[in-house]
Amino acid sequence: MRLSIEKVVYGGSGIARQEGQASAGTVFVPFTLPGEEIDADLISTDGSRMDASVKELISASSDRVLPRCIHFGVCGGCQFQHASYDAQLSLKREILQETLQRAGLSSLPEIEIHAAEPWEYRNRIRLRLQEFDGKLRAGYLKRGSTEFLPIQMCPIAAPILWQAAEILLDVLEAFPQWAKATQEIELFTADEEQKIQLTFFLSSMPAKNFAELCNALLLRIPQLAGAGAQVIETPGKSRRFQRAIPIESWGAAGLTYNVGEESYWVGRGSFFQVNRFLVSRLVQLATGGRGGRLAWDLYAGVGLFSRVLAKNFAEVVAVEVEKGNLEANFRGEGRRAVAATTLEFLRQAVLERDRPELIVMDPPRAGVGTEVCSLIGRLKTPEVVYVSCDPATLSRDLREMVDSGYKMDQLHLVDMFPQTFHQETVTVLRR
């Protein structure tokens, strides 16, 4: 097919229209840019949707650049390395705006973009370990498949993480039982790469010499602060259906992560924002210039926003399902950590008289949902800050918030995930 790429959509593919043929419909083509002319090979059809790949690039966009990673296009991790960074930001802005408008949201505030260094930003990576060509290798999955892809680099990861992974592969040669049992590893580093936490995900429990393995790693990786091992109950299934049981621990159970003037204790395996260059900016957008009597931080995690809010509010309530890390980070007068789901907390809160002046919420990708939006609408909180990592669920929830009386006052696109289609937004709503 000869195609003209019209635009890029969420997920990273360019789209074109195939008209006037038996197979007429929308064609999705990865690794293309608006305005490009291509010859494409059809891969699959599903109703009016067709998926294709680039057979030949006839006319390239001026925004096209050479990818930095040798695995780009085969690896499932990145979608935008073929676009200049300015082009990536422009594409993400257009995608966010169109997604919001499609949900019926009009009179949008201007989208402000916040960006930083687009490479070596990830403070956490999770790698699969597998024998390949007779040697233990680390890697990811091939794009659109469950097939293992051994890698030689990962330029979006903090350099120390891939260095540590290569050393681990070398050290595991002396620990064959651990090499055989390890399915995946997760590496997490602090803001300045001064400390590393390592987690092994195992198919079975190998020999009882975990401390010996970790001490051997420490000789080669002096930044190693701690390590843990977990046995996966359902090996071979996708992570969504896996349950891992901790069985071994060595060293510290987490590390201290500095963000601006604050230091947070982040336990091994706990959620933390992945972009080490933009976390401070995200915190500033969500909390800066706000103060008063009472604020609620919903989906509080380790207390990233709660700690900063507590400087300017007399009382801050931080809500998280499991408050282990939150409790460690959020103690003292005027600070209250609540172990509950946001929905449980809000259901109870609407029955009580206390009303916050500010709500900050940073939910997972699924968003907050209709009932949470409805309960917040009943509370009539003057200002709500919604931090989101998915424009589709954000649009759905913002539609609910606007219908309950809120108006979007600010809209920030924070590029926490350069080279990928993912995007983070901060929306400020006021009544």
Side-chain angles (χ1 to χ4, degrees):
M1 296 181 289
R2 176 69 62 92
L3 299 173
S4 297
I5 303 301
E6 297 175 10
K7 62 181 180 180
V8 173
V9 295
Y10 190 65
S13 291
I15 64 169
R17 309 291 173 183
Q18 183 75 350
E19 304 290 351
Q21 298 185 21
S23 58
T26 304
V27 189
F28 292 76
V29 192
F31 315 121
T32 55
L33 296 171
E36 291 189 326
E37 298 281 335
I38 65 168
D39 270 341
D41 283 331
L42 183 65
I43 297 172
S44 64
T45 60
D46 183 6
S48 62
R49 174 188 172 124
M50 292 178 279
D51 290 283
S53 62
V54 177
K55 181 179 181 181
E56 181 184 354
L57 184 62
I58 298 168
S59 175
S61 167
S62 59
D63 291 321
R64 182 172 284 273
V65 298
L66 289 174
R68 182 177 294 195
C69 182
I70 62 173
H71 305 295
F72 178 67
V74 181
C75 176
C78 293
Q79 297 80 35
F80 282 155
Q81 286 193 31
H82 63 297
S84 70
Y85 192 47
D86 284 344
Q88 292 183 36
L89 297 175
S90 179
L91 290 171
K92 289 183 179 184
R93 186 208 298 265
E94 291 169 10
I95 289 167
L96 175 59
Q97 182 164 322
E98 183 177 328
T99 306
L100 293 168
Q101 290 173 338
R102 209 165 45 238
L105 296 162
S106 57
S107 303
L108 297 174
E110 182 181 353
I111 299 172
E112 297 183 47
I113 292 180
H114 308 267
E117 169 57 47
W119 300 100
E120 300 181 347
Y121 63 87
R122 287 194 64 96
N123 57 28
R124 188 192 304 267
I125 58 174
R126 186 160 169 171
L127 296 161
R128 295 174 184 267
L129 265 57
Q130 190 170 312
E131 193 170 288
F132 188 85
D133 288 342
K135 187 174 182 180
L136 187 65
R137 299 284 299 276
Y140 298 120
L141 292 181
K142 290 185 176 180
R143 184 173 66 89
S145 79
T146 57
E147 187 178 346
F148 176 70
L149 174 70
I151 64 169
Q152 301 174 42
M153 59 166 59
C154 184
I156 64 171
I160 197 172
L161 298 181
W162 179 245
Q163 293 167 13
E166 290 187 304
I167 292 170
L168 171 62
L169 293 174
D170 191 38
V171 171
L172 281 174
E173 290 184 5
F175 296 85
Q177 289 177 303
W178 282 90
K180 183 178 180 180
T182 303
Q183 286 198 328
E184 296 182 72
I185 57 167
E186 184 173 90
L187 293 152
F188 176 57
T189 186
D191 51 309
E192 296 295 335
E193 302 182 87
Q194 68 271 34
K195 296 289 183 183
I196 290 178
Q197 277 287 340
L198 168 63
T199 306
F200 293 82
F201 295 94
L202 312 168
S203 58
S204 59
M205 179 59 197
K208 294 278 187 178
N209 57 346
F210 188 60
E212 184 182 345
L213 169 60
C214 293
N215 288 326
L217 287 169
L218 184 62
L219 293 175
R220 302 276 302 277
I221 312 171
Q223 299 90 345
L224 187 63
Q230 301 182 19
V231 171
I232 300 171
E233 276 197 329
T234 52
K237 291 191 176 181
S238 69
R239 292 174 187 167
R240 184 180 301 178
F241 303 104
Q242 287 180 353
R243 180 170 176 264
I245 303 172
I247 54 166
E248 293 278 4
S249 183
W250 172 90
L255 51 77
T256 300
Y257 203 109
N258 299 312
V259 179
E261 298 177 353
E262 298 293 323
S263 296
Y264 300 84
W265 175 255
V266 183
R268 186 168 49 245
S270 298
F271 170 79
F272 198 79
Q273 293 290 345
V274 74
N275 191 312
R276 61 198 184 103
F277 302 131
L278 276 174
V279 180
S280 293
R281 185 61 178 151
L282 185 70
V283 172
Q284 193 276 328
L285 289 170
T287 64
R290 297 175 174 91
R293 181 184 59 84
L294 174 63
W296 292 349
D297 182 12
L298 309 180
Y299 311 91
V302 302
L304 181 63
F305 303 131
S306 312
R307 288 270 292 271
V308 180
L309 289 170
K311 293 180 178 181
N312 296 309
F313 281 87
E315 183 182 2
V316 175
V317 179
V319 181
E320 180 57 52
V321 176
E322 297 179 5
K323 64 175 183 176
N325 288 299
L326 178 61
E327 212 162 36
N329 289 312
F330 201 60
R331 296 172 177 170
E333 187 178 352
R335 303 180 178 195
R336 183 158 66 96
V338 176
T341 68
T342 288
L343 190 54
E344 290 168 345
F345 174 79
L346 289 176
R347 283 171 175 168
Q348 181 63 35
V350 295
L351 303 175
E352 300 172 355
R353 292 185 177 182
D354 221 6
R355 295 291 185 264
E357 295 144 278
L358 171 71
I359 291 176
V360 176
M361 50 189 187
D362 182 10
R365 197 169 300 279
V368 300
T370 299
E371 188 174 355
V372 168
C373 292
S374 175
L375 290 168
I376 292 174
R378 289 172 62 184
L379 290 166
K380 293 183 169 57
T381 302
E383 184 176 15
V384 176
V385 178
Y386 189 150
V387 182
S388 168
C389 61
D390 187 289
T393 57
L394 171 69
S395 298
R396 177 203 66 202
D397 292 340
L398 289 181
R399 177 73 265 175
E400 295 278 351
M401 298 290 289
V402 168
D403 287 346
S404 69
Y406 283 92
K407 180 182 177 181
M408 286 182 287
D409 187 66
Q410 297 175 33
L411 191 53
H412 303 272
L413 195 162
V414 189
D415 194 30
M416 302 289 281
F417 313 97
Q419 318 308 328
T420 82
F421 71 85
H422 299 289
Q423 53 180 262
E424 192 94 358
T425 57
V426 178
T427 308
V428 179
L429 301 114
R430 293 192 171 96
R431 293 190 73 90

